[in-house]
Amino acid sequence: MSKKIIKIEDLKREFVMGTETVHALRGISFDINEGDFVTIMGSSGSGKSTVLNILGCLDQPTSGIYEIDGVKVKDLSRNELATIRNEKIGFIFQSYNLLARTSAIENVELPLVYNSKVSSKERRKRAISALEKVGLSDRLDHTPAQLSGGQQQRVAIARSLVNNPVMILADEATGNLDTRTSYEIMSLFQELNQQQGITITFVTHETDIAAFSNRTIVLKDGDIIQDYKNHNIQSVADELAKLPKQDDEL
Ligand SMILES: Nc1ncnc2c1ncn2[C@@H]1O[C@H](COP(=O)(O)OP(=O)(O)O)[C@@H](O)[C@H]1O
Ligand SMILES: [Mg+2]
């Protein structure tokens, strides 16, 4: 059996807004095993980002249990939380969150800057290797403005990989991209999961994306309404090959 890396139990998150309480998560439970590729689906406002932010230790639940790698997150100090965020988890967002006027390689080096165990030479080496993995070895010195949306998202993925995280959390990572580019990015996620065994939790509201993962959790109004394994995982590369070719491709 694979190792359990995430365990949540009866997790609730409430936001108090004046006299009103928003029940963003109403007591959800699930485990994620090492090597899983989970898509979290649901319409806008169903609680997807809220659960992802808690999984990534960016936010704390109102109540319930959250364990990562066997450690109860509630018991951790601020410093320990920061270390987990920085060293165990890679984040990818819809809006890339890259530093403008900063080269691809420097953006990717960023998570290692505060890691005293990694020399500047090693840092550069690891950043170059991460950018090679996402197919951008010829764009090391480009700034975000000099890159397409898909390329910027690749830089963000390289940045998320540079610390060798146990888990990648992606929130609508293909939300700003056209179909072909978003399939190219999905193909990269599938490769990272299938070839390198990286655990991925991928939030999306696009139903076709779920077919590429091995498990789907569907949220509705803060509750899990479906949680199922996908026994017929589609290859993104195959789907990409079926798309019509574009003449103006970069
Ligand atoms: N910081 C916040 N303050 C108040 N309400 C919030 C906050 N974050 C999320 N919510 C509410 O919680 C619910 C779930 O939001 P969210 O997790 O962002 O949904 P999704 O990502 O599925 O679109 C929504 O009703 C949203 O308005
Ligand atoms: Mg969201």
Side-chain angles (χ1 to χ4, degrees), residues 194-235:
Q194 293 180 351
Q195 289 168 23
Q196 299 185 42
I198 298 180
T199 309
I200 299 174
T201 305
F202 192 98
V203 158
T204 180
H205 65 272
E206 293 166 87
T207 42
D208 55 332
I209 300 275
F212 302 134
S213 67
N214 64 13
R215 180 174 162 203
T216 304
I217 294 173
V218 185
L219 291 177
K220 189 177 182 213
D221 300 330
D223 274 317
I224 293 178
I225 53 164
Q226 275 183 299
D227 182 350
Y228 60 91
K229 282 211 167 72
N230 182 3
H231 296 291
N232 183 22
I233 302 166
Q234 268 179 37
S235 151

Short mmCIF file of all heavy atoms in Angstrom, two decimals, residues 194-235:
data_model
loop_
_atom_site.label_atom_id
_atom_site.label_comp_id
_atom_site.label_asym_id
_atom_site.label_seq_id
_atom_site.Cartn_x
_atom_site.Cartn_y
_atom_site.Cartn_z
N GLN A 194 3.54 10.56 -13.45
CA GLN A 194 3.74 9.17 -13.87
C GLN A 194 5.21 8.78 -13.92
O GLN A 194 5.57 7.65 -13.64
CB GLN A 194 3.08 8.92 -15.23
CG GLN A 194 1.56 9.01 -15.13
CD GLN A 194 0.84 8.77 -16.45
OE1 GLN A 194 1.48 8.70 -17.51
NE2 GLN A 194 -0.47 8.67 -16.41
N GLN A 195 6.09 9.72 -14.29
CA GLN A 195 7.50 9.35 -14.42
C GLN A 195 8.32 9.64 -13.18
O GLN A 195 9.32 8.99 -12.93
CB GLN A 195 8.10 10.02 -15.66
CG GLN A 195 7.55 9.38 -16.92
CD GLN A 195 7.86 10.16 -18.17
OE1 GLN A 195 8.81 10.92 -18.20
NE2 GLN A 195 7.06 9.97 -19.20
N GLN A 196 7.92 10.67 -12.42
CA GLN A 196 8.72 10.99 -11.24
C GLN A 196 7.97 10.73 -9.93
O GLN A 196 8.51 10.95 -8.86
CB GLN A 196 9.17 12.44 -11.30
CG GLN A 196 10.04 12.68 -12.52
CD GLN A 196 10.61 14.08 -12.54
OE1 GLN A 196 11.04 14.60 -11.53
NE2 GLN A 196 10.60 14.70 -13.71
N GLY A 197 6.72 10.28 -10.06
CA GLY A 197 5.98 9.89 -8.86
C GLY A 197 5.58 11.05 -7.97
O GLY A 197 5.27 10.85 -6.80
N ILE A 198 5.59 12.27 -8.51
CA ILE A 198 5.22 13.43 -7.69
C ILE A 198 3.70 13.44 -7.46
O ILE A 198 2.92 13.26 -8.40
CB ILE A 198 5.67 14.75 -8.36
CG1 ILE A 198 7.20 14.74 -8.48
CG2 ILE A 198 5.20 15.96 -7.57
CD1 ILE A 198 7.76 15.97 -9.12
N THR A 199 3.31 13.62 -6.21
CA THR A 199 1.90 13.67 -5.84
C THR A 199 1.33 15.03 -6.27
O THR A 199 1.95 16.06 -5.99
CB THR A 199 1.76 13.51 -4.32
OG1 THR A 199 2.49 12.36 -3.93
CG2 THR A 199 0.31 13.36 -3.90
N ILE A 200 0.19 15.01 -6.94
CA ILE A 200 -0.38 16.27 -7.44
C ILE A 200 -1.84 16.40 -7.02
O ILE A 200 -2.62 15.45 -7.14
CB ILE A 200 -0.27 16.33 -8.98
CG1 ILE A 200 1.20 16.26 -9.41
CG2 ILE A 200 -0.94 17.59 -9.53
CD1 ILE A 200 1.40 16.18 -10.91
N THR A 201 -2.18 17.56 -6.51
CA THR A 201 -3.58 17.89 -6.27
C THR A 201 -3.90 19.09 -7.14
O THR A 201 -3.26 20.14 -7.02
CB THR A 201 -3.85 18.20 -4.78
OG1 THR A 201 -3.40 17.10 -4.01
CG2 THR A 201 -5.33 18.43 -4.53
N PHE A 202 -4.85 18.90 -8.03
CA PHE A 202 -5.09 19.87 -9.10
C PHE A 202 -6.55 20.34 -9.02
O PHE A 202 -7.47 19.57 -9.24
CB PHE A 202 -4.82 19.18 -10.44
CG PHE A 202 -4.74 20.11 -11.61
CD1 PHE A 202 -3.51 20.53 -12.08
CD2 PHE A 202 -5.89 20.56 -12.23
CE1 PHE A 202 -3.43 21.39 -13.16
CE2 PHE A 202 -5.82 21.43 -13.31
CZ PHE A 202 -4.59 21.83 -13.77
N VAL A 203 -6.73 21.60 -8.68
CA VAL A 203 -8.08 22.16 -8.59
C VAL A 203 -8.50 22.71 -9.95
O VAL A 203 -7.73 23.41 -10.61
CB VAL A 203 -8.09 23.31 -7.55
CG1 VAL A 203 -9.27 24.23 -7.81
CG2 VAL A 203 -8.15 22.76 -6.15
N THR A 204 -9.69 22.35 -10.38
CA THR A 204 -10.18 22.88 -11.65
C THR A 204 -11.71 22.87 -11.69
O THR A 204 -12.34 22.12 -10.95
CB THR A 204 -9.64 22.06 -12.85
OG1 THR A 204 -10.14 22.61 -14.06
CG2 THR A 204 -10.06 20.59 -12.77
N HIS A 205 -12.30 23.71 -12.52
CA HIS A 205 -13.74 23.59 -12.72
C HIS A 205 -14.02 23.04 -14.12
O HIS A 205 -15.16 22.90 -14.53
CB HIS A 205 -14.45 24.93 -12.50
CG HIS A 205 -14.07 25.97 -13.49
ND1 HIS A 205 -13.00 26.81 -13.32
CD2 HIS A 205 -14.60 26.28 -14.69
CE1 HIS A 205 -12.89 27.59 -14.38
NE2 HIS A 205 -13.85 27.29 -15.22
N GLU A 206 -12.95 22.69 -14.85
CA GLU A 206 -13.10 22.17 -16.21
C GLU A 206 -13.20 20.65 -16.17
O GLU A 206 -12.25 19.96 -15.80
CB GLU A 206 -11.92 22.58 -17.07
CG GLU A 206 -11.86 24.07 -17.32
CD GLU A 206 -10.51 24.50 -17.87
OE1 GLU A 206 -10.34 24.46 -19.09
OE2 GLU A 206 -9.64 24.87 -17.08
N THR A 207 -14.36 20.10 -16.60
CA THR A 207 -14.62 18.67 -16.43
C THR A 207 -13.67 17.78 -17.24
O THR A 207 -13.33 16.68 -16.79
CB THR A 207 -16.07 18.33 -16.84
OG1 THR A 207 -16.36 19.04 -18.03
CG2 THR A 207 -17.05 18.74 -15.77
N ASP A 208 -13.22 18.22 -18.42
CA ASP A 208 -12.39 17.32 -19.23
C ASP A 208 -11.03 17.03 -18.59
O ASP A 208 -10.41 16.01 -18.85
CB ASP A 208 -12.22 17.87 -20.66
CG ASP A 208 -11.66 19.28 -20.68
OD1 ASP A 208 -11.88 20.03 -19.69
OD2 ASP A 208 -10.99 19.64 -21.66
N ILE A 209 -10.59 17.91 -17.72
CA ILE A 209 -9.27 17.76 -17.08
C ILE A 209 -9.24 16.54 -16.16
O ILE A 209 -8.21 15.88 -16.01
CB ILE A 209 -8.94 19.05 -16.26
CG1 ILE A 209 -8.91 20.28 -17.16
CG2 ILE A 209 -7.67 18.88 -15.45
CD1 ILE A 209 -7.60 20.55 -17.85
N ALA A 210 -10.38 16.22 -15.55
CA ALA A 210 -10.42 15.14 -14.56
C ALA A 210 -10.01 13.79 -15.15
O ALA A 210 -9.44 12.95 -14.46
CB ALA A 210 -11.82 15.05 -13.96
N ALA A 211 -10.26 13.60 -16.44
CA ALA A 211 -9.95 12.32 -17.09
C ALA A 211 -8.45 12.03 -17.11
O ALA A 211 -8.03 10.89 -17.33
CB ALA A 211 -10.49 12.33 -18.52
N PHE A 212 -7.63 13.04 -16.87
CA PHE A 212 -6.18 12.86 -16.91
C PHE A 212 -5.59 12.45 -15.56
O PHE A 212 -4.41 12.14 -15.45
CB PHE A 212 -5.50 14.15 -17.38
CG PHE A 212 -5.97 14.63 -18.73
CD1 PHE A 212 -6.30 15.96 -18.94
CD2 PHE A 212 -6.07 13.74 -19.79
CE1 PHE A 212 -6.73 16.41 -20.18
CE2 PHE A 212 -6.50 14.17 -21.03
CZ PHE A 212 -6.83 15.51 -21.24
N SER A 213 -6.40 12.49 -14.52
CA SER A 213 -5.89 12.20 -13.18
C SER A 213 -6.35 10.81 -12.74
O SER A 213 -7.17 10.19 -13.42
CB SER A 213 -6.39 13.25 -12.20
OG SER A 213 -7.78 13.13 -12.04
N ASN A 214 -5.84 10.32 -11.62
CA ASN A 214 -6.27 8.98 -11.21
C ASN A 214 -7.38 8.99 -10.16
O ASN A 214 -7.84 7.96 -9.72
CB ASN A 214 -5.09 8.09 -10.79
CG ASN A 214 -4.36 8.61 -9.57
OD1 ASN A 214 -4.85 9.51 -8.88
ND2 ASN A 214 -3.20 8.07 -9.30
N ARG A 215 -7.77 10.21 -9.74
CA ARG A 215 -8.86 10.28 -8.76
C ARG A 215 -9.52 11.65 -8.85
O ARG A 215 -8.84 12.65 -9.11
CB ARG A 215 -8.28 10.07 -7.37
CG ARG A 215 -9.30 10.12 -6.28
CD ARG A 215 -8.63 9.77 -4.98
NE ARG A 215 -9.39 10.18 -3.85
CZ ARG A 215 -8.86 10.39 -2.65
NH1 ARG A 215 -7.57 10.21 -2.46
NH2 ARG A 215 -9.62 10.76 -1.66
N THR A 216 -10.82 11.69 -8.61
CA THR A 216 -11.56 12.94 -8.66
C THR A 216 -12.39 13.12 -7.41
O THR A 216 -13.08 12.20 -6.98
CB THR A 216 -12.50 12.96 -9.89
OG1 THR A 216 -11.72 12.74 -11.07
CG2 THR A 216 -13.20 14.30 -10.02
N ILE A 217 -12.26 14.29 -6.82
CA ILE A 217 -13.11 14.65 -5.68
C ILE A 217 -13.98 15.82 -6.13
O ILE A 217 -13.46 16.80 -6.66
CB ILE A 217 -12.24 15.06 -4.46
CG1 ILE A 217 -11.43 13.86 -3.96
CG2 ILE A 217 -13.11 15.64 -3.34
CD1 ILE A 217 -10.43 14.19 -2.87
N VAL A 218 -15.30 15.68 -5.98
CA VAL A 218 -16.19 16.77 -6.40
C VAL A 218 -16.79 17.45 -5.18
O VAL A 218 -17.37 16.78 -4.32
CB VAL A 218 -17.31 16.25 -7.33
CG1 VAL A 218 -18.15 17.40 -7.86
CG2 VAL A 218 -16.73 15.44 -8.48
N LEU A 219 -16.65 18.77 -5.13
CA LEU A 219 -17.21 19.56 -4.04
C LEU A 219 -18.46 20.28 -4.49
O LEU A 219 -18.57 20.69 -5.65
CB LEU A 219 -16.21 20.63 -3.58
CG LEU A 219 -14.92 20.18 -2.88
CD1 LEU A 219 -14.05 21.39 -2.59
CD2 LEU A 219 -15.26 19.45 -1.59
N LYS A 220 -19.40 20.41 -3.56
CA LYS A 220 -20.57 21.25 -3.82
C LYS A 220 -20.94 21.96 -2.52
O LYS A 220 -21.15 21.28 -1.50
CB LYS A 220 -21.73 20.40 -4.33
CG LYS A 220 -22.87 21.26 -4.81
CD LYS A 220 -24.00 20.46 -5.39
CE LYS A 220 -25.07 21.42 -5.89
NZ LYS A 220 -26.40 20.86 -5.74
N ASP A 221 -20.99 23.27 -2.57
CA ASP A 221 -21.35 24.06 -1.38
C ASP A 221 -20.62 23.60 -0.12
O ASP A 221 -21.22 23.51 0.95
CB ASP A 221 -22.87 23.99 -1.14
CG ASP A 221 -23.64 24.53 -2.31
OD1 ASP A 221 -23.11 25.43 -3.00
OD2 ASP A 221 -24.77 24.06 -2.56
N GLY A 222 -19.34 23.29 -0.24
CA GLY A 222 -18.53 22.98 0.94
C GLY A 222 -18.59 21.53 1.40
O GLY A 222 -18.03 21.19 2.44
N ASP A 223 -19.29 20.68 0.63
CA ASP A 223 -19.34 19.25 0.95
C ASP A 223 -18.76 18.43 -0.20
O ASP A 223 -18.84 18.87 -1.36
CB ASP A 223 -20.80 18.80 1.14
CG ASP A 223 -21.28 19.01 2.56
OD1 ASP A 223 -20.50 18.70 3.48
OD2 ASP A 223 -22.42 19.49 2.73
N ILE A 224 -18.23 17.25 0.12
CA ILE A 224 -17.81 16.33 -0.94
C ILE A 224 -19.04 15.57 -1.42
O ILE A 224 -19.71 14.92 -0.62
CB ILE A 224 -16.75 15.35 -0.42
CG1 ILE A 224 -15.46 16.10 -0.09
CG2 ILE A 224 -16.48 14.25 -1.45
CD1 ILE A 224 -14.35 15.24 0.49
N ILE A 225 -19.36 15.67 -2.71
CA ILE A 225 -20.52 14.91 -3.21
C ILE A 225 -20.09 13.69 -4.01
O ILE A 225 -20.89 12.79 -4.24
CB ILE A 225 -21.50 15.78 -4.04
CG1 ILE A 225 -20.78 16.51 -5.17
CG2 ILE A 225 -22.23 16.78 -3.14
CD1 ILE A 225 -21.75 17.06 -6.21
N GLN A 226 -18.80 13.65 -4.42
CA GLN A 226 -18.29 12.46 -5.11
C GLN A 226 -16.80 12.34 -4.83
O GLN A 226 -16.10 13.35 -4.70
CB GLN A 226 -18.46 12.61 -6.63
CG GLN A 226 -19.80 12.21 -7.16
CD GLN A 226 -19.82 12.34 -8.68
OE1 GLN A 226 -19.64 13.42 -9.22
NE2 GLN A 226 -20.02 11.23 -9.37
N ASP A 227 -16.31 11.11 -4.74
CA ASP A 227 -14.88 10.86 -4.57
C ASP A 227 -14.64 9.51 -5.22
O ASP A 227 -15.03 8.48 -4.68
CB ASP A 227 -14.52 10.84 -3.08
CG ASP A 227 -13.02 10.63 -2.84
OD1 ASP A 227 -12.30 10.32 -3.80
OD2 ASP A 227 -12.60 10.77 -1.67
N TYR A 228 -14.05 9.49 -6.41
CA TYR A 228 -13.91 8.21 -7.12
C TYR A 228 -12.56 8.08 -7.81
O TYR A 228 -11.94 9.08 -8.17
CB TYR A 228 -15.05 8.03 -8.15
CG TYR A 228 -15.12 9.11 -9.21
CD1 TYR A 228 -14.43 8.97 -10.42
CD2 TYR A 228 -15.88 10.25 -9.00
CE1 TYR A 228 -14.51 9.96 -11.39
CE2 TYR A 228 -15.96 11.25 -9.97
CZ TYR A 228 -15.26 11.09 -11.16
OH TYR A 228 -15.32 12.07 -12.11
N LYS A 229 -12.14 6.82 -7.95
CA LYS A 229 -10.90 6.50 -8.67
C LYS A 229 -11.20 6.42 -10.16
O LYS A 229 -12.26 5.96 -10.56
CB LYS A 229 -10.36 5.14 -8.20
CG LYS A 229 -9.67 5.20 -6.88
CD LYS A 229 -8.55 4.14 -6.84
CE LYS A 229 -7.65 4.38 -5.66
NZ LYS A 229 -8.31 4.05 -4.38
N ASN A 230 -10.25 6.88 -10.96
CA ASN A 230 -10.40 6.82 -12.39
C ASN A 230 -9.59 5.63 -12.92
O ASN A 230 -8.37 5.62 -12.85
CB ASN A 230 -9.87 8.13 -12.98
CG ASN A 230 -10.01 8.20 -14.48
OD1 ASN A 230 -10.56 7.28 -15.08
ND2 ASN A 230 -9.51 9.27 -15.07
N HIS A 231 -10.30 4.60 -13.41
CA HIS A 231 -9.59 3.39 -13.85
C HIS A 231 -9.18 3.47 -15.31
O HIS A 231 -8.52 2.60 -15.83
CB HIS A 231 -10.46 2.16 -13.60
CG HIS A 231 -10.71 1.93 -12.14
ND1 HIS A 231 -9.72 1.55 -11.27
CD2 HIS A 231 -11.83 2.10 -11.39
CE1 HIS A 231 -10.21 1.46 -10.06
NE2 HIS A 231 -11.50 1.80 -10.09
N ASN A 232 -9.58 4.54 -15.96
CA ASN A 232 -9.29 4.66 -17.38
C ASN A 232 -8.65 6.04 -17.64
O ASN A 232 -9.26 6.92 -18.22
CB ASN A 232 -10.60 4.48 -18.16
CG ASN A 232 -10.40 4.53 -19.65
OD1 ASN A 232 -9.29 4.29 -20.13
ND2 ASN A 232 -11.46 4.87 -20.37
N ILE A 233 -7.42 6.18 -17.15
CA ILE A 233 -6.74 7.48 -17.22
C ILE A 233 -6.36 7.79 -18.67
O ILE A 233 -5.73 6.98 -19.35
CB ILE A 233 -5.47 7.48 -16.35
CG1 ILE A 233 -5.84 7.15 -14.90
CG2 ILE A 233 -4.75 8.82 -16.43
CD1 ILE A 233 -4.65 6.80 -14.03
N GLN A 234 -6.80 8.95 -19.15
CA GLN A 234 -6.47 9.35 -20.52
C GLN A 234 -5.08 9.93 -20.60
O GLN A 234 -4.65 10.65 -19.70
CB GLN A 234 -7.45 10.43 -20.98
CG GLN A 234 -8.67 9.89 -21.69
CD GLN A 234 -9.59 11.03 -22.10
OE1 GLN A 234 -9.14 12.09 -22.49
NE2 GLN A 234 -10.87 10.78 -21.98
N SER A 235 -4.38 9.64 -21.68
CA SER A 235 -3.06 10.23 -21.89
C SER A 235 -3.24 11.63 -22.49
O SER A 235 -3.90 11.79 -23.52
CB SER A 235 -2.26 9.35 -22.84
OG SER A 235 -1.35 10.13 -23.56
#
